[in-house]
Amino acid sequence: VLAPDMIHLAEPNSSDLERVLSSVIDGIRTGKIGGKHWKSHKRIRRSYSWFDVARRTEDVYLKLRRSPKLSISQICARWYGLGF
């Protein structure tokens, strides 16, 4: 999870994605976003314990392996229930 000033959200469409990316690129070029690249890198490095990230990732995969296998009709029913 990044700090709020390191997150830039866009609507799921090409025009908004282009708008946000252009804004971020301009902000990086002018120094308004991120400051020195190493400064941002150090902030991220201090924010994460990569051992903890690896442990949590492994926990997710182990949980998935223990979950019951679904038939294709069960999978479709779940997707349908989500509105896809």
Side-chain angles (χ1 to χ4, degrees):
V1 176
L2 294 173
D5 65 312
M6 299 177 106
I7 299 171
H8 302 273
L9 302 176
E11 293 296 323
N13 61 63
S14 59
S15 60
D16 200 49
L17 183 59
E18 179 183 4
R19 180 189 62 77
V20 171
L21 284 174
S22 295
S23 173
V24 170
I25 291 167
D26 289 343
I28 291 170
R29 285 184 179 151
T30 61
K32 293 179 183 177
I33 294 177
K36 298 279 186 186
H37 295 295
W38 283 109
K39 182 180 174 185
S40 297
H41 173 74
K42 287 177 184 177
R43 281 179 64 198
I44 292 170
R45 199 172 90 198
R46 283 192 310 264
S47 299
Y48 291 98
S49 157
W50 293 112
F51 178 80
D52 186 50
V53 170
R55 182 189 54 77
R56 288 185 290 143
T57 301
E58 183 181 27
D59 289 346
V60 168
Y61 281 106
L62 291 173
K63 182 179 177 182
L64 285 171
R65 285 183 59 194
R66 289 190 299 266
S67 65
K69 304 292 185 244
L70 299 175
S71 69
I72 191 69
S73 61
Q74 290 170 313
I75 293 170
C76 290
R78 283 190 178 188
W79 276 68
Y80 182 76
L82 294 173
F84 291 107

